[in-house]
Amino acid sequence: MIWDSWNDFIAMGGYGRYVWGSLAAVALALAIEQWTLRARNRAAEQQP
Amino acid sequence: MSSIGTIIDERRPRAASLLRYASPQTALPLVERAIPWLHGAAALLALAGLYIGVLLAPTDFQQGDAYRIIFVHVPAAWLSMLIYVAMAFWAGVGLVLNTRLSAMMASALAPTGALFTFLALWTGALWGKPTWGAWWVWDARLTSELLLLFLYIGFMALQAAIPDPRRADRAGAVVALVGVVNVPVIYFSVQWWNTLHQGASVSLRSAPSMATPMLLGMLVMTLALWAYAIGAVLQRLRAIVLERERHAAWVPRHLGASA
């Protein structure tokens, strides 16, 4: 553990916006892909 | 004493049993069994990789904590190139051997490849702003990666525009195979041209120029995103198989058995 406090961890040495923004972008993109993939598979199972 | 004839005869059944999985009907149960394992591995590896990346790895002496974007940027960029090569490979196999499942695999790879290309560019912009002072520069690395995104989009748009799936497979394969030239251009761009983008931190020929926890975090995150990507591609492959083979007698049987 390299951080002294919770605030330090969030601030990321002043680069918090960029670091957390990158991680959030990846998490959001993968969540959206999973959502669309599950919907597509459900639709494919229902068709005649 | 065994002759060459018997050796060949002994090998034939094994090759034939592997080729059975070239048929969508036999491959689908295998695909469905692999998906939860891949998602589980991706989740565990991502937790471990993020733990190393944001809690253990030290602050970089030049870039401060901005460098931590590397833990998603480099794995996404590697995957964007690797998925393209895999897509071109399966498209090529489908074109030459006329196997349906190979072409479906190429189509299943494209959207996930495009997504990781987009993420490599997006996280790259978030890294470029604090370190270079610009979200975007027209440097060889960035420009060739943007071209990769357009190749993926072109492949998907072309396939979507052709109603007959087998013709769409063949047309897409040509685009995929022509575009594969761009992958070594991306990879070697930092050596061939004088780019703002930094050179490779990890290569097969030299020791990595990074501290051990940084390198470890990056490799674990790479494995996590690989596992995720393979899982997502197989999910899409399953949907494509069910959509294209819906008139085949085995599909309702299969869905009935697994429900």
Side-chain angles (χ1 to χ4, degrees):
Chain A
M1 186 69 146
I2 55 156
W3 308 103
D4 296 327
S5 70
W6 179 252
N7 282 341
D8 267 12
F9 176 62
I10 297 300
M12 282 281 156
Y15 297 110
R17 278 191 299 163
Y18 303 104
V19 174
W20 296 121
S22 296
L23 294 182
V26 174
L28 184 70
L30 302 193
I32 292 172
E33 187 183 32
Q34 279 305 307
W35 185 67
T36 61
L37 279 173
R38 274 154 213 227
R40 186 170 173 184
N41 269 284
R42 267 199 306 277
E45 288 161 16
Q46 299 306 320
Q47 67 194 344
Chain B
M1 191 179 141
S2 68
S3 67
I4 292 193
T6 52
I7 292 171
I8 290 171
D9 282 341
E10 279 162 12
R11 283 189 177 175
R12 195 169 286 148
R14 184 185 286 179
S17 71
L18 272 178
L19 281 178
R20 275 187 338 123
Y21 293 106
S23 136
Q25 184 179 357
T26 41
L28 202 58
L30 205 66
V31 164
E32 286 170 343
R33 240 180 307 156
I35 290 167
W37 287 99
L38 288 160
H39 285 329
L44 291 176
L45 287 163
L47 282 177
L50 287 174
Y51 175 75
I52 298 169
V54 298
L55 292 176
L56 290 185
T59 301
D60 186 70
F61 78 100
Q62 277 181 327
Q63 300 197 9
D65 289 304
Y67 94 89
R68 291 181 200 280
I69 293 170
I70 204 172
F71 296 117
V72 287
H73 175 73
V74 169
W78 278 346
L79 261 174
S80 71
M81 293 185 279
L82 196 72
I83 291 177
Y84 195 92
V85 173
M87 180 179 96
F89 171 79
W90 286 116
V93 169
L95 195 63
V96 173
L97 300 181
N98 213 21
T99 42
R100 281 172 303 154
L101 190 62
S102 326
M104 293 184 207
M105 189 65 182
S107 305
L109 281 156
T112 299
L115 187 68
F116 279 107
T117 310
F118 169 77
L119 285 173
L121 291 167
W122 187 268
T123 57
L126 283 167
W127 197 355
K129 186 66 184 169
T131 48
W132 303 337
W135 301 106
W136 180 262
V137 287
W138 289 101
D139 130 327
R141 175 54 74 77
L142 281 70
T143 308
S144 53
E145 182 77 10
L146 184 65
L147 180 61
L148 185 72
L149 182 62
F150 293 152
L151 283 167
Y152 276 121
I153 293 171
F155 175 88
M156 292 187 286
L158 184 65
Q159 290 211 321
I162 301 174
D164 173 27
R166 301 298 287 141
R167 276 191 59 216
D169 288 343
R170 283 193 294 274
V174 174
V175 173
L177 286 168
V178 170
V180 86
V181 194
N182 186 44
V183 173
V185 173
I186 301 171
Y187 190 79
F188 292 110
S189 57
V190 287
Q191 294 170 27
W192 292 348
W193 292 284
N194 192 3
T195 57
L196 190 54
H197 193 286
Q198 68 197 58
S201 307
V202 182
S203 83
L204 292 175
R205 273 179 297 170
S206 58
S209 55
M210 300 169 80
T212 309
M214 295 181 184
L215 180 67
L216 189 69
M218 202 171 87
L219 294 180
V220 174
M221 283 306 287
T222 301
L223 291 177
L225 290 185
W226 273 26
Y228 170 81
I230 299 170
V233 167
L234 291 184
Q235 282 172 286
R236 191 174 294 105
L237 182 65
R238 177 179 184 270
I240 293 174
V241 168
L242 292 179
E243 286 161 9
R244 284 213 204 167
E245 309 271 299
R246 64 181 181 278
H247 301 304
W250 66 270
V251 168
R253 230 183 305 133
H254 172 80
L255 288 173
S258 61

